[in-house]
């Protein structure tokens, strides 16, 4: 069950969002941008060559992986929250994940990288 969860998490958070970001940056018409942050990000992206654009998405993907891994570590109890005594726990279909989500997620990532 943990494996199914981390695969779905990867597909939903990383795969889908990377595709959304790529589409957004590739199809946005810069005329009339009103969000200052996006305007700056869009300008930076447009200034990159094709290779650097690909690298920028790899950086975004790795940031997402690191963030999910850290959150799963907190949920698993292998990482602690700063200034908090709370002990989170995640149940999947009412079953304890047994503190294995972060390891399971990182194994999935490693297997994915080997199969690229």
């Amino acid at each position: 069950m943990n494996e199914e969860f981390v695969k779905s998490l990867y597909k939903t958070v990383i795969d889908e969002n990377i595709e959304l970001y790529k589409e957004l940056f590739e199809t946005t018409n810069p005329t009339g941008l009103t969000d200052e942050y996006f305007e700056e990000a869009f300008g930076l992206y447009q200034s990159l060559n094709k290779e650097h654009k690909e690298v920028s998405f790899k950086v975004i993907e790795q940031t997402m992986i690191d963030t999910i891994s850290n959150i799963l570590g907190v949920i698993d109890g292998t990482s602690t929250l700063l200034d908090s005594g709370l002990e989170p726990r995640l149940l999947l279909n009412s079953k304890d994940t047994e503190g294995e989500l972060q390891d399971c997620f990182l194994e999935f990532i490693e297997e994915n990288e080997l199969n690229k």
Side-chain angles (χ1 to χ4, degrees):
M1 188 172 334
N2 290 352
E3 292 85 8
E4 179 184 349
F5 177 74
V6 298
K7 286 178 187 178
S8 293
L9 191 61
Y10 181 88
K11 288 178 184 176
T12 303
V13 175
I14 296 173
D15 280 346
E16 284 187 18
N17 283 310
I18 287 292
E19 288 307 311
L20 286 172
Y21 291 145
K22 284 180 180 178
E23 184 177 332
L24 180 67
F25 280 100
E26 289 297 324
T27 62
T28 295
N29 181 349
T31 305
L33 288 177
T34 58
D35 182 287
E36 186 178 321
Y37 165 76
F38 184 70
E39 186 176 1
E40 290 175 2
F42 185 76
L44 173 64
Y45 181 77
Q46 292 302 310
S47 73
L48 302 174
N49 65 32
K50 183 178 179 180
E51 181 182 325
H52 290 149
K53 286 178 180 179
E54 290 174 18
V55 170
S56 71
F57 283 111
K58 288 179 184 177
V59 169
I60 292 169
E61 179 180 10
Q62 188 59 51
T63 302
M64 293 171 150
I65 289 169
D66 292 345
T67 302
I68 291 170
S69 175
N70 286 332
I71 290 170
L72 293 176
V74 169
I75 291 169
D76 285 346
T78 56
S79 300
T80 57
L81 292 172
L82 295 176
D83 302 324
S84 176
L86 297 173
E87 295 181 29
R89 185 174 79 182
L90 180 66
L91 303 177
L92 297 176
N93 291 338
S94 302
K95 293 184 182 178
D96 195 321
T97 59
E98 300 176 3
E100 297 177 357
L101 290 174
Q102 185 179 37
D103 287 341
C104 188
F105 180 73
L106 292 174
E107 286 172 18
F108 174 75
I109 297 299
E110 188 174 308
E111 289 171 11
N112 239 15
E113 289 299 314
L114 294 175
N115 294 324
K116 282 188 176 180

